[in-house]
Amino acid sequence: MGFKNFQADISVAAQLATTGSVPGVQSINKGEADGEVTIAYQHTSLPNPVVIQALAHDIKEYPDGNTFLLWTNDPEPPQPVVAAIASAQDYLSGLSVSDMATLLAHRLTRALADTLDEPVSPTQVDDEDGDDFGAALDDEYLSDDDDDDDDDEEEEQEFGLGPVASTLFDPSSAVLGNQDLALRRIRWDLRQVRKAGFRVGLLDGFGKTSASGFVSISVRINKLGLSEQAMEAWDVQPTDYAVLLLRFTGTTYRSLERLLELAADENDVQFRFGKCNRYKPTLRQATSAFVDRGHFSADDSQPESPTDSDVAFEKLLISNSMDSFLCQSFISLLKIREEHGLDWEQANEHLLRARGLFDSGDKLPPGPQKGTAPTSQDGAPAPEMQRVLDPDHLLEKRPSQERSFPLVVMQFALRYFVKCTEYCLRCHRRLDKDLEALRPYVCSNPLCLFQYVAMGLGPSVEHEILAEPYVVDLLVSLCYAATQENPRQVPHNPSAKKPSLPIRTLPVGLRLKVPDVLGGTKPARARLANDCTRLVFDDVGIWGSVSRRLAPAQWLALRKLTGTLPVMQHARILEVHGTSKSVTIQMTSKSALPAGIADPVGYTMPPPFGPSSGPAVDSLLRWSDGEVVDVFPYDTDFDDLDDARKGVAMRMVLDTLPSILQLEEWLLGHPNRSLRFLEHVSPAALSLLTWIVGSNRSCIFQIERSRNIPRASLAPPLQGRDKPAGGPAPKVARRGRNREHERILGMDGWVQFRFAQGAPDRELRFRRALREVVGRKGTNDHPTFFAWHGSYLGNWHSIIRTGLDFTEISCGRAFGHGVYFSSQYNTSASYAMLGHPWPNSDLKIDTCMSLVEIINAPEEFVSRRPHFVVAQEDWHQCRYLFARRSLAYGTQATPAFPSAQGGSGGPFVQQPPDLQVYGVRGVPLQIPLSAMSQRTAVSQGSLPIRAKRKAPETGSDDDDTDDGLLFLSGDELEIYEDALPTQMPASRASGEPVKQAKPEAPAPAPAPAPAPAAVPLAVTTFQPDAVDLSSIPRLQPPSFATPSATRSLSVEVKKLQATQATSPPHELGWHIDFDGLANLYQWIVQLHSFDLSLPLAQDMQAAGIASIVLELRFGPDFPFSPPFVRVVRPRFLPFLEGGGGHVTAGGAMCMELLTATGWSPVTSLESVLLQVRLALCSTEPRPARLHPGVRTKATRGAASWGRGDYGLGEAMEAYARAAATHGWVMPEKWRTTAAGV
């Protein structure tokens, strides 16, 4: 739709130009290339009209996500025209063609009028003010020339924000209805937000024509210094934006000082915090984010607009908690801070005590004073690179009326977002932990746990389902199995009749209301009628006793016993009819009922309902009118049941829960909607699901996202009006990252999950123990090893929460007390006992095993042969979990996860030679090193993993560079700053960024590319990590970097990254290490997989060379000038000696495309790579050949004929010679581009 809108807007703009509606513009026409527009501008000072080209940089995102690149092909354009084009460049984002042309014409008219000292008409000035306010405030940061006072003044005038009079900040004026002053105050407040480095998005008339409406404030995720592990755990991408939505509902805008005067509950502003793939959501998405409806309206069935489908505003993991915190407490916290001089954390403590939620305790320490520098936890000055996160607008030395309320809110929200793992998600008090979890959670306070589950104020279950649906399926399945006793468990008390349930912690204290079908109390009897939509209580006495327990929206469990198979049906009450002694119900789901109801303990579970149930079972599920059923209301307090009945109740409730993929499908069809609005799922089931997900503090990811799993059929609860209209069933890898490189090969038929981090307290103890043992024994080379552990399916619910221990005896202890491990798969697999799968699971797992990391000190184990018996509970941590599907599900029992040619290509964890771990077929397992990112000690022996980083150098030249970046525009700010020497590496999972003045090695790119699936060696021998590129000189980001070039390069990176991630390597033929792209202006590219019929490919094969290494360098005027492209290695046979392939003697490419003569700004870099590759493959006039000095493997390691890689100097000389020989015009700044400085 972007392209169609663009074409239509060109026609509209052309008509406006023809009618003279755009002053100075004679014509607007479609250019030669797609996305190009030509604008003919005429002025009295110009002898001839000047033709300006405008290129839509991202036509698919037109207009909101697009920007225009401007240039002119006139050989000698007047200097004012060039200056006007340059000044307009930073204000062209999100504009239509006609708006872009109008703004450009105003800039040209002003520039030419200033040159001639001509006055500019008031109409033009007024129009320009409006356009520039809409473009600059809505789409861009301040320009990079704001250090110039004249430019500042001009920009303020353009925004209607000239010198501020004292009355501008008079709150009474705004409240009394002075709309102009209110709008000016809004603009001033938002300007402070932009100056602080955030993006501002105006979604409606707010700030333009109205003091009410929506505004978004955003910052790109890669600016927050989050670690890769944290971003993966929180399901955010570096290119995403953290977005704060503010909705002002009053008739006037209340500034910060006015809000401080009002009571906390009198404010008329609401907040929503989430993520978006663009810097602002659409108006429809913003409106939807503030609407919490328990019922569906007609709008729910309307399809999203094309613009909406391209923009995705979604909840974050902590959105529920953050939204509640902002809406309920922020204004109060603001008032407390202002009154008592406290910081945010102290103000929250003060507020909790004032509300009576916690004891008063000790007196709070004094808070920071206004004007003091923000400090870190240990009292030292905060790292300088935290200028985006740590600055406190409330502490700045400003008059009380010159503080921006939106800026204060954004700083507050970002603080709690980035540090969310340090605070309780409900009370928001600091957690007393030495090791930060990768995911946030609640504290141990019972009230917080209750509100987290009962009120949905913890991590968003909806987010977890959308991000990792099979992990949620796994967690529910393990909990289901944990509510059934282990038949082989040996109780500690030999006199006990029955062992306890495997589940160790039950969901008590949550006020769960469940049906008690094993309580021994005689249930009420009723008769089904009206196609099973009504329950009629014929007995007056029964109705009198049960009617008090029935109400609309309450849930019932209905039991009928037919033959030997007990069957339960669950229903929701719609209406209660007292006169007819009946209730209208809606049946929703079924469940299995334990047999032997008279004996609440001695029961056995029937086979689960599933594909193998057969027609005999299906016939029992058909209920008909006239049947008498037992009625069990959901009104029994779960906490009052004994453990056995608790287990039965939990299984029964989980039986009613739809499959996780069905819930995912519903959520996809109802964005930003809570599952609590799903009427066909009981509150008990949702609360139990929330507890299962939230009580898991381990961070688990599914690895094989591209493997398909047979899905459960769509159950009745999600059919009808709640089912999204149309579309295929969702696939496995709907979202999330590609983790194929973390897969362990050779484990056919097993679903693989990886523990990115265990439970935080257990992980902390493991790391401490590891440091102690390594320090004591000096095992830095191999600090840990891996071994298998198998256990009953029901035990894994507790294992993933608290780790492995030997509290319970399952299979005897012939070799001593401790946790048993084995290096042999078959040994541990024999102890991985089957459990009952959750009937509604898509995984249908009945067996689990784990690959465990163990501290390498076997001589201190209880036993090491034939098994490892480890008594130290803190010496091991689960790293991989393998789940196998049940064989009870017919054709679905075929291994759903066959081995493939893809998977991990290394590097691998270096295991001790005498402590290898073996897989299914007795083959040593290779464990990808990339999956061990959270290990404390690696094979190189670096302890600890969070090494101390070099302290920032005060007063360095880099400071000025980084300050300037806060005033770049749009995308180039976020992406370009990662290429600067003052990069923000993350020193911990929550993202405490630490400034490095001069990093010794290139930092990771902000947007790591998903690893493409590997291909067989028969197709290509190229392996991205097999070529050592460390010897190639890497440049620091250039001083000549410009916003337009940075923006253009960032867009190209995004496109190439997507292409590389989705294309087979042997078909693509090129590879870029985006993770190592530390300088946006210098790229290293490998060309590979050449046709073996080419002499070049044969030479490469003989020399054992898999790729041709290129270097691309970009200049300040890209894309208006070409990159400088040269071959780095290997050396080619020169043309004068019989070589070809368009490679000069110095390694530069001899191609007209790469000169000013053949270059066009519309040329994409993917096209450049393709044409360079074609040039190398060309056999005319002669084919490319490698120099004889590199054609043999024997000489590959030595310097080729004494000269090694091509040098930059010889490449520059050869480029100049080739251009002169062919008569090509070289770009004006080609030497600057080639030098890269």
Side-chain angles (χ1 to χ4, degrees):
M1 293 299 294
F3 182 77
K4 292 182 179 179
N5 291 339
F6 178 74
Q7 295 290 345
D9 283 358
I10 292 178
S11 301
V12 172
Q15 206 157 13
L16 291 174
T18 302
T19 58
S21 300
V22 185
V25 175
Q26 286 188 336
S27 65
I28 299 176
N29 298 296
K30 184 180 181 301
E32 296 180 359
D34 289 340
E36 185 180 352
V37 180
T38 61
I39 302 168
Y41 176 80
Q42 177 64 61
H43 189 269
T44 55
S45 64
L46 298 175
N48 298 302
V50 60
V51 178
I52 299 169
Q53 279 76 26
L55 177 66
H57 207 273
D58 197 345
I59 199 169
K60 293 181 180 179
E61 300 289 335
Y62 177 86
D64 291 340
N66 175 66
T67 189
F68 288 94
L69 298 176
L70 303 178
W71 76 95
T72 178
N73 289 328
D74 284 12
E76 297 182 359
Q79 185 57 36
V81 172
V82 175
I85 292 176
S87 66
Q89 185 67 70
D90 289 335
Y91 299 100
L92 302 179
S93 295
L95 300 185
S96 65
V97 174
S98 55
D99 289 342
M100 176 271 297
T102 302
L103 185 146
L104 174 61
H106 288 161
R107 291 276 181 169
L108 290 166
T109 301
R110 170 171 290 180
L112 293 169
D114 290 344
T115 303
L116 301 176
D117 293 328
E118 292 181 358
V120 182
S121 70
T123 303
Q124 288 179 317
V125 173
D126 292 342
D127 289 343
E128 184 168 358
D129 290 346
D131 287 337
D132 276 357
F133 173 76
L137 178 58
D138 190 20
D139 292 294
E140 305 293 347
Y141 289 93
L142 299 180
S143 62
D144 55 358
D145 59 357
D146 273 9
D147 292 335
D148 189 297
D149 293 338
D150 294 337
D151 291 335
D152 272 341
E153 183 177 352
E154 179 183 351
E155 185 180 45
E156 289 175 354
Q157 294 292 344
E158 288 175 352
F159 294 160
L161 301 174
V164 180
S166 58
T167 56
L168 174 60
F169 300 103
D170 183 0
S172 60
S173 299
V175 172
L176 291 175
N178 190 323
Q179 184 76 355
D180 179 64
L181 287 180
L183 294 178
R184 289 167 65 83
R185 178 55 191 260
I186 291 173
R187 296 183 181 193
W188 189 91
D189 278 358
L190 295 182
R191 183 176 174 81
Q192 308 316 304
V193 176
R194 294 175 56 241
K195 284 184 176 180
F198 302 113
R199 300 201 70 175
V200 177
L202 303 181
L203 310 182
D204 51 13
F206 178 76
K208 298 178 180 178
T209 60
S210 174
S212 62
F214 298 90
V215 64
S216 71
I217 304 173
S218 61
V219 61
R220 200 183 285 270
I221 293 295
N222 66 2
K223 290 183 61 180
L224 303 181
L226 299 177
S227 67
E228 283 296 319
Q229 292 79 20
M231 287 190 287
E232 185 176 26
W234 301 355
D235 188 35
V236 294
Q237 298 289 342
T239 53
D240 288 338
Y241 287 88
V243 179
L244 173 67
L245 287 175
L246 294 88
R247 181 187 185 189
F248 295 89
T249 58
T251 57
T252 187
Y253 176 74
R254 291 192 171 103
S255 58
L256 185 143
E257 61 272 14
R258 178 57 178 162
L259 287 171
L260 291 173
E261 296 173 359
L262 300 174
D265 58 355
E266 293 181 12
N267 71 85
D268 50 13
V269 59
Q270 299 172 322
F271 312 94
R272 292 293 185 270
F273 191 77
K275 70 172 183 178
C276 192
N277 60 340
R278 297 269 302 286
Y279 78 95
K280 67 174 182 178
T282 64
L283 177 59
R284 174 172 177 173
Q285 290 170 338
T287 304
S288 176
F290 285 92
V291 177
D292 294 328
R293 298 190 298 269
H295 299 279
F296 303 104
S297 66
D299 292 340
D300 295 319
S301 60
Q302 294 178 358
E304 291 187 337
S305 66
T307 303
D308 284 357
S309 63
D310 295 336
V311 183
F313 178 75
E314 306 174 59
K315 286 185 176 182
L316 287 160
L317 189 68
I318 65 165
S319 287
N320 291 346
S321 172
M322 179 72 80
D323 294 348
S324 173
F325 194 24
L326 288 169
C327 292
Q328 296 178 9
S329 302
F330 177 73
I331 301 298
S332 297
L333 294 174
L334 189 62
K335 295 168 71 69
I336 292 172
R337 282 204 63 184
E338 188 73 5
E339 181 178 353
H340 299 284
L342 306 177
D343 61 21
W344 291 117
E345 191 171 336
Q346 294 169 329
N348 182 56
E349 193 76 17
H350 188 287
L351 179 62
L352 293 173
R353 294 175 183 181
R355 291 175 174 175
L357 298 178
F358 295 96
D359 295 333
S360 57
D362 299 331
K363 184 179 179 181
L364 292 175
Q369 301 300 315
K370 292 184 178 181
T372 60
T375 59
S376 59
Q377 281 300 112
D378 57 2
E384 191 173 350
M385 278 308 297
Q386 291 187 268
R387 60 166 58 91
V388 177
L389 300 178
D390 279 356
D392 193 334
H393 190 50
L394 292 179
L395 297 181
E396 295 177 5
K397 292 182 178 180
R398 289 173 173 265
S400 59
Q401 294 178 334
E402 292 189 13
R403 292 178 293 179
S404 168
F405 171 70
L407 176 56
V408 174
V409 184
M410 185 60 175
Q411 290 178 343
F412 174 86
L414 276 186
R415 168 187 170 84
Y416 277 93
F417 169 59
V418 170
K419 299 185 177 183
C420 63
T421 58
E422 299 180 23
Y423 297 92
C424 171
L425 280 174
R426 182 49 194 150
C427 68
H428 305 285
R429 302 177 93 187
R430 183 176 291 275
L431 298 169
D432 186 17
K433 296 291 181 184
D434 294 329
L435 175 74
E436 290 185 43
L438 278 178
R439 292 196 178 194
Y441 55 97
V442 293
C443 65
S444 57
N445 185 284
L447 178 60
C448 293
L449 181 61
F450 168 74
Q451 291 180 329
Y452 157 72
V453 175
M455 302 174 63
L457 298 178
S460 169
V461 176
E462 294 82 4
H463 177 275
E464 294 284 358
I465 291 173
L466 290 170
E468 292 285 345
Y470 285 139
V471 172
V472 178
D473 191 311
L474 172 74
L475 295 176
V476 176
S477 299
L478 296 181
C479 180
Y480 191 89
T483 60
Q484 305 165 74
E485 67 273 9
N486 179 358
R488 295 175 62 178
Q489 179 178 331
V490 180
H492 283 303
N493 182 5
S495 62
K497 294 182 179 180
K498 280 283 182 181
S500 59
L501 298 176
I503 189 170
R504 297 182 180 180
T505 303
L506 291 161
V508 296
L510 305 181
R511 302 180 187 177
L512 288 178
K513 296 297 182 180
V514 297
D516 184 14
V517 299
L518 302 180
T521 304
K522 184 178 180 180
R525 292 282 174 89
R527 172 173 48 86
L528 290 171
N530 290 8
D531 293 331
C532 297
T533 62
R534 185 180 291 260
L535 285 175
V536 180
F537 295 83
D538 297 319
D539 190 302
V540 177
I542 293 177
W543 172 254
S545 62
V546 78
S547 60
R548 296 188 297 271
R549 303 163 59 189
L550 305 178
Q554 184 168 359
W555 282 70
L556 305 171
L558 311 177
R559 178 183 69 193
K560 73 168 183 174
L561 295 177
T562 304
T564 59
L565 181 64
V567 179
M568 298 290 295
Q569 193 81 23
H570 298 257
R572 185 170 60 94
I573 298 177
L574 301 179
E575 294 180 80
V576 178
H577 309 281
T579 56
S580 60
K581 303 187 294 297
S582 64
V583 294
T584 301
I585 62 172
Q586 181 180 27
M587 288 194 178
T588 61
S589 53
K590 62 182 182 294
S591 67
L593 176 68
I597 290 186
D599 181 7
V601 178
Y603 63 85
T604 57
M605 284 295 294
F609 294 109
S612 61
S613 299
V617 174
D618 293 339
S619 65
L620 297 176
L621 300 180
R622 290 194 293 267
W623 295 32
S624 58
D625 288 354
E627 289 187 306
V628 177
V629 296
D630 292 336
V631 180
F632 299 90
Y634 278 53
D635 61 357
T636 301
D637 194 331
F638 179 83
D639 295 2
D640 294 338
L641 304 176
D642 58 48
D643 285 357
R645 288 156 64 195
K646 283 186 174 76
V648 172
M650 289 176 68
R651 291 199 302 278
M652 186 178 301
V653 169
L654 289 177
D655 282 342
T656 69
L657 187 69
S659 78
I660 302 303
L661 290 189
Q662 291 170 13
L663 295 178
E664 179 201 28
E665 187 173 350
W666 185 86
L667 290 171
L668 290 169
H670 303 85
N672 296 318
R673 195 67 63 78
S674 169
L675 289 175
R676 296 184 182 277
F677 297 152
L678 193 55
E679 297 176 344
H680 303 295
V681 181
S682 69
L686 289 178
S687 294
L688 189 53
L689 173 63
T690 304
W691 175 82
I692 291 171
V693 174
S695 62
N696 168 47
R697 289 163 55 198
S698 298
C699 186
I700 307 175
F701 298 124
Q702 182 198 353
I703 292 176
E704 293 142 313
R705 306 186 65 82
S706 62
R707 303 295 192 266
N708 195 11
I709 297 179
R711 298 192 54 200
S713 59
L714 193 63
L718 295 185
Q719 289 179 345
R721 62 176 179 175
D722 292 334
K723 179 182 176 182
K731 296 181 180 179
V732 177
R734 178 172 294 278
R735 54 189 286 173
R737 304 190 180 190
N738 186 341
R739 303 188 185 99
E740 286 291 316
H741 58 288
E742 298 174 358
R743 185 165 64 91
I744 296 180
L745 301 179
M747 295 299 297
D748 296 2
W750 291 85
V751 189
Q752 296 188 26
F753 298 88
R754 179 176 70 83
F755 288 83
Q757 186 185 70
D761 49 352
R762 186 65 180 252
E763 191 79 45
L764 174 63
R765 296 197 301 270
F766 174 77
R767 295 186 182 186
R768 287 175 174 172
L770 180 58
R771 291 187 181 96
E772 187 275 328
V773 173
V774 171
R776 175 165 50 87
K777 300 180 69 66
T779 54
N780 292 52
D781 291 339
H782 302 289
T784 61
F785 69 98
F786 289 83
W788 292 103
H789 180 82
S791 187
Y792 169 59
L793 181 67
N795 292 336
W796 289 100
H797 171 84
S798 297
I799 291 174
I800 64 175
R801 286 162 171 79
T802 61
L804 292 164
D805 58 39
F806 49 98
T807 303
E808 305 291 343
I809 303 175
S810 297
C811 304
R813 294 177 180 173
F815 299 94
H817 291 284
V819 182
Y820 282 62
F821 303 96
S822 176
S823 61
Q824 300 294 330
Y825 161 86
N826 291 330
T827 301
S828 294
S830 64
Y831 291 90
M833 292 166 286
L834 302 179
H836 287 289
W838 174 40
N840 296 331
S841 169
D842 289 285
L843 290 173
K844 295 293 190 303
I845 61 172
D846 65 3
T847 309
C848 275
M849 292 179 60
S850 180
L851 194 60
V852 184
E853 184 178 18
I854 307 172
I855 294 177
N856 185 9
E859 64 277 4
E860 299 183 28
F861 296 169
V862 175
S863 173
R864 60 179 302 178
R865 290 186 178 85
H867 313 296
F868 300 113
V869 182
V870 185
Q872 298 89 340
E873 292 186 0
D874 298 335
W875 280 25
H876 43 77
Q877 276 288 78
C878 296
R879 295 307 182 197
Y880 275 83
L881 186 68
F882 296 86
R884 187 172 60 192
R885 288 171 54 80
S886 172
L887 299 177
Y889 287 83
T891 57
Q892 294 190 19
T894 302
F897 299 91
S899 62
Q901 293 168 333
S904 177
F908 302 102
V909 175
Q910 298 179 14
Q911 303 179 57
D914 58 335
L915 295 173
Q916 289 285 334
V917 61
Y918 299 89
V920 177
R921 299 177 181 87
V923 178
L925 289 183
Q926 290 186 313
I927 302 168
L929 186 61
S930 60
M932 299 293 110
S933 55
Q934 284 294 311
R935 297 178 66 204
T936 306
V938 295
S939 58
Q940 287 72 20
S942 58
L943 285 171
I945 192 171
R946 290 171 182 171
K948 296 289 185 181
R949 298 184 184 272
K950 183 179 179 181
E953 299 177 2
T954 58
S956 67
D957 295 336
D958 295 330
D959 298 340
D960 294 334
T961 301
D962 195 65
D963 284 335
L965 291 182
L966 291 177
F967 304 98
L968 289 179
S969 60
D971 295 338
E972 70 265 26
L973 176 64
E974 294 85 354
I975 294 183
Y976 178 67
E977 85 175 338
D978 287 286
L980 292 174
T982 55
Q983 192 166 343
M984 293 187 293
S987 63
R988 38 185 216 166
S990 69
E992 286 287 347
V994 179
K995 180 176 178 178
Q996 286 183 326
K998 298 289 183 182
E1000 297 178 0
V1015 296
L1017 293 179
V1019 179
T1020 179
T1021 59
F1022 175 73
Q1023 296 294 331
D1025 299 328
V1027 180
D1028 182 13
L1029 304 178
S1030 60
S1031 62
I1032 300 177
R1034 301 302 175 96
L1035 305 176
Q1036 292 293 330
S1039 59
F1040 59 66
T1042 60
S1044 60
T1046 302
R1047 179 169 53 239
S1048 301
L1049 287 170
S1050 67
V1051 173
E1052 291 289 347
V1053 166
K1054 181 179 178 181
K1055 292 178 180 178
L1056 292 175
Q1057 205 169 5
T1059 300
Q1060 181 170 290
T1062 56
S1063 303
H1066 65 287
E1067 295 181 4
L1068 191 62
W1070 54 262
H1071 175 81
I1072 301 174
D1073 178 17
F1074 292 102
D1075 291 345
L1077 190 61
N1079 180 356
L1080 208 57
Y1081 287 76
Q1082 181 193 28
W1083 296 9
I1084 304 299
V1085 183
Q1086 297 183 68
L1087 302 182
H1088 59 83
S1089 305
F1090 292 95
D1091 188 342
L1092 288 177
S1093 64
L1094 293 173
L1096 173 62
Q1098 297 167 11
D1099 288 350
M1100 292 172 63
Q1101 188 177 49
I1105 296 174
S1107 65
I1108 304 296
V1109 180
L1110 304 179
E1111 182 186 36
L1112 280 69
R1113 297 189 179 188
F1114 301 91
D1117 46 4
F1118 179 83
F1120 305 107
S1121 291
F1124 181 75
V1125 182
R1126 71 184 184 99
V1127 174
V1128 177
R1129 69 170 71 118
R1131 283 190 173 266
F1132 282 69
L1133 186 67
F1135 183 81
L1136 295 179
E1137 298 179 25
H1142 299 267
V1143 180
T1144 63
M1149 296 303 300
C1150 180
M1151 298 174 61
E1152 184 180 11
L1153 171 71
L1154 301 178
T1155 66
T1157 304
W1159 179 257
S1160 169
V1162 301
T1163 305
S1164 69
L1165 291 182
E1166 183 178 6
S1167 174
V1168 170
L1169 296 180
L1170 176 61
Q1171 295 191 54
V1172 170
R1173 181 183 171 85
L1174 290 175
L1176 291 175
C1177 296
S1178 173
T1179 58
E1180 297 295 337
R1182 292 191 293 266
R1185 302 296 301 267
L1186 296 187
H1187 194 277
V1190 294
R1191 285 192 199 170
T1192 63
K1193 295 182 180 180
T1195 60
R1196 197 182 76 195
S1200 300
W1201 43 292
R1203 297 181 62 185
D1205 294 346
Y1206 285 110
L1208 176 63
E1210 59 181 314
M1212 295 175 64
E1213 293 175 3
Y1215 174 78
R1217 287 196 305 268
T1221 300
H1222 294 281
W1224 298 330
V1225 177
M1226 292 185 292
E1228 180 181 356
K1229 300 179 181 179
W1230 77 271
R1231 292 190 179 275
T1232 300
T1233 301
V1237 294

